[in-house]
Structure formats: structure tokens, C-alpha cells
Amino acid sequence: MDQNKPESNDNGAPSADTVRQRLFFVVLVATMGALAFGYDTGIISGALPYMTLPPAQGGLDLTPFTEGLVTSSLIFGAAVGAFLSGYVSDRFGRRITLRSLALIFVAGALGTAVAPNVEVMVAMRLLLGVAVGGGSSTVPVFIAEIAGPRHRAPLVSRNELMIVSGQLLAYVVSALMSYLLHDAKMWRYMLALAMIPGALLFIGTFFVPASPHWLVAEGRIKEAMRVMKKLRETPREVRKEMAAMRKQAREAERGPSAGELLREKWVVRLLLLGAGMGIVIQFTGVNAFMYYTPIILKTTGMGTSASIAATIGNGVVSVLAVMAGIRAVGRFGRRPMLITGLCVVIAAQLALGSVLVFMPQNLTQSLLALACIMLFLFFMQMCISPVYWLLMSELFPMKVRGVLTGTAVSFQWICNAAVAFAFPPLLALAGNSTFFIFAAINVASLAFVALMLPETRGKSLEQIETLMRERFGEAEDPAASGAA
């Protein structure tokens, strides 16, 4: 920090630079969970070839069935973790939830690194998945409630940046260890490294504030005020946001209980919208590309080593795309970004299917197929993924935000598992026409977004709650109520 710049303004409020630094630190700590999320989902691709070796050679002697079990156990654990963390988050707060998840991250990573057999490995991957899923639903909400309306979009989008950075780190670590180490047990080192972001998250939670929104909801007004004074540039901002939060809290006290609220029609419709967005993001086929790019490219005649190296390209493109998305999400609305992203995704999948079906196997086909995949990933990670996580942090009402976010994100993980399981047999059955099927699904997703999703850009969380209540509570036709 520049020593010549004051830490506070003349009115006693922190300076703009001080506020930005404090928000950056909070986001950095919280997104250690996202980094662990990305690393844990990415590193398994590099570890599996060594885990399939016989025990005498340092592996676990995985069969195709147990290989799929080890891979998918994290996804199923994530669905459970996302669902349960919502209740814990609403009951005990976002910060305590993240601290608990950090311990599970460390325990799960250590357990997978020392697992003596397949049974223990599956159990530990399941435990690790609980932390991954819990972090995926809690981190965006925590950042959104800390950031405020002006900074919410770019700061929440940093969650997605850390996820794809973790995946890229996993791909690079896998490649480097495979090249530099000549030890069949290196997969244990790969998995053990996941403890580092978990440990950093645990330590960091002791140095970040609790969510002011959650504090107000719990009646801890003075504590919320102290937090807000440190994280906002002017007393006017503090007064305005605190007034909105206190008004919301009073209405929540006079209104239905959390259990009753969950049964209200507008809340049910809002949850269905959140679940629908899980279908939108996962049925783009993004994880089919992330997990199976080498298989896709090998059908064009590309060599195994070159196909695996292309996975690192996926990671690099994803990181660059999310960095572009962070800039875009602060300037453009959620709906335009999603609609643009889906249009390009559809075009890229139609182009990929055409290249694979109608072109002969040669270098040109391989390069064009790779270009289509990279185009798909760039717009997917720039326009769709960041907006999804941002929407999960802001769509739902305060009283049940954790529960509904956890439920919606849990459903997203179930969709993730469905695509991961369905893609190989679908590719075997339909061949390269599979990508035309994904394109058709994404046309339906485009219609869903255009008809159902309201615009939330530039609104406070309290204003969004009011908007959702009006749109989904008054209209009998949810499609009509959801249109922007």
C-alpha cells in the first residue's frame, strides 16, 4: 500500500483504496475454497493413470468400474455438501461454515493421499466432495453479502476465476510431476497438495469479518455496523445499506417463518429458476469438454500425448475467459451475457459436430476441432459460468438464502454427474452427432433464459428480493412473471 495515501477520509470513513484492499483480502480468503474446488476436480485426471497400476507398483489396481467410482464419488459428495451447507450457513453464519469446510478440505485431501485401498479412497473422495460442494454454495453468497451492490458482480466473479485457476494448476502439476518425477506413487503427492488451499482458508477465516447481512438477520446490529464501517467508503453508504438490511429484517420478522417462506409460491418458483439455471450451465456440455477433450481429439487421429497436452490449453483458455468475464460482468447485464454466451456455444457445437462428421481425419480436422472446443470454452467461461455463480449469490431471499442456494447448487452438481456419466455412452451410441444433440439442448436453454430470467444488475440484494417477490408472486404464469 502507498504510504503517502491516507487510510481514512476527513469524515473518518476508510479511503477508497483501504476499502478495496479490505474487500480484496476477504475475497482472497474466501476463494481459497474455490481454488481447492478447482484443484480437487482437476487433479484426478492426472492421478488416475497411476492409481490404476497394481499395488506392487504403487497404485490401487483400479478397474474401469472403480475408476469411475473414484471419479464420481467427489461429485456425489459435492451434491450432499452443497445441500447441507445451506442449512449450516443460515444457522451458524457464512464464516463459520467456511471454517468448518476448510477442515473437511484438509481431512479429505490427506485421506485421499494416504488411502491404502479403493474403499478408503472412495470414502475420502466423498468427504472431499462435501467440502467442494459446500464451498461452491457458500463462497459466492459470502462474497456477495460482503461486497455491496457496486462491487458485487466483479468480486463474486473472482470465485469462478479461482475455480478455473485451480483446475489449470492441477493440469500443470500433473504434467510437471509426470515429467520430472519417476515415482509411481506421485499421485499421492498430487492429491496431498490440495491440503494447502484448505489450510489457508481455515487460517484466513480468523481474519475476515462475518457477513453483515447475516448479522442483521440475527439481530446483531452493532456488530453489522462495525463491519460495514470498515468495508464502505462513506457514512452515507453505510446508512443506506444498513437501513435496507434492517427494513428487510423487520419485514422478515413480521412475515412467515423460514419453513413457511419455503412453501410460498414465489419462493418455490424462484427455486425452480435456480434449479433451471443448473441445467443451463451443465447441459451446455462444459464438463464433457473439460473431462473428455483428449477422447474427442483422438477421434480425429491426434496422438495421445498431444490430446492430453490440449487439456492444459483448456485450462489456459478458461482462465483468460474468466478474466475477460470479470470485466464484462460489471458492464453488461446478466441476461445479455447469458444469451450471448449460449448463442456462441450453440454455434461452436454445431461447427464441431460438422467438422467431426463431414471432414476426413487429418491434421486440418484436428486443428479445426480444437479451435471449436476453445471457442466454446472461451464463451462458456466468460459469459455463462461467472454469471451462474453470481446469480446463485443474489437471487434468493435473505431468510432462506443459504438453504435455497445450497439446494440449487446441489441440483447443479447432480446435473454435472448426469452429463459426466451420459457423455461416453452417448458418444458411443450417436458418435460425433452427439454435439448436435448438445446444441439442441442449448437452444432450449436459450429460450429458458430469455423467458424466465429477470435482470438483477445494479440492484442491491434487498431490491432483488423485492423484484423476485413481485415477479414470481403476482403472476400466475411463471414464464410471464420471469421475463425481463
Side-chain angles (χ1 to χ4, degrees), residues 29-85:
V29 168
T31 53
M32 284 297 107
L35 184 68
F37 168 178
Y39 185 87
D40 286 321
T41 54
I43 197 61
I44 195 66
S45 63
L48 280 175
Y50 300 97
M51 293 167 66
T52 56
L53 296 173
Q57 298 179 27
L60 294 180
D61 199 20
L62 296 183
T63 65
F65 173 76
T66 54
E67 186 175 348
L69 196 59
V70 167
T71 303
S72 63
S73 55
L74 184 139
I75 300 175
F76 288 114
V80 173
F83 182 75
L84 294 179
S85 69

Side-chain angles (χ1 to χ4, degrees), residues 60 62 66 69-70 115-126:
L60 294 180
L62 296 183
T66 54
L69 196 59
V70 167
N117 53 49
V118 173
E119 291 77 14
V120 174
M121 174 60 73
V122 170
M124 290 298 100
R125 287 276 294 175
L126 194 66

Side-chain angles (χ1 to χ4, degrees), residues 405-427:
T405 301
T407 303
V409 172
S410 176
F411 183 74
Q412 176 266 155
W413 280 104
I414 293 171
C415 293
N416 183 328
V419 172
F421 279 128
F423 183 76
L426 184 61
L427 191 62

Side-chain angles (χ1 to χ4, degrees), residues 200-225:
L200 292 175
L201 175 62
F202 178 77
I203 295 169
T205 56
F206 290 95
F207 299 95
V208 298
S211 161
H213 289 259
W214 183 81
L215 289 172
V216 170
E218 292 292 303
R220 295 157 64 175
I221 306 300
K222 291 183 178 179
E223 292 178 61
M225 181 69 78

Side-chain angles (χ1 to χ4, degrees), residues 208-250:
V208 298
S211 161
H213 289 259
W214 183 81
L215 289 172
V216 170
E218 292 292 303
R220 295 157 64 175
I221 306 300
K222 291 183 178 179
E223 292 178 61
M225 181 69 78
R226 285 197 295 269
V227 172
M228 291 294 289
K229 285 180 178 178
K230 293 180 179 179
L231 298 177
R232 298 296 182 266
E233 296 173 22
T234 65
R236 181 178 178 276
E237 283 185 281
V238 175
R239 288 193 300 269
K240 182 179 178 182
E241 289 189 49
M242 284 297 299
M245 284 187 274
R246 295 183 71 173
K247 179 183 177 183
Q248 183 187 53
R250 287 193 298 269

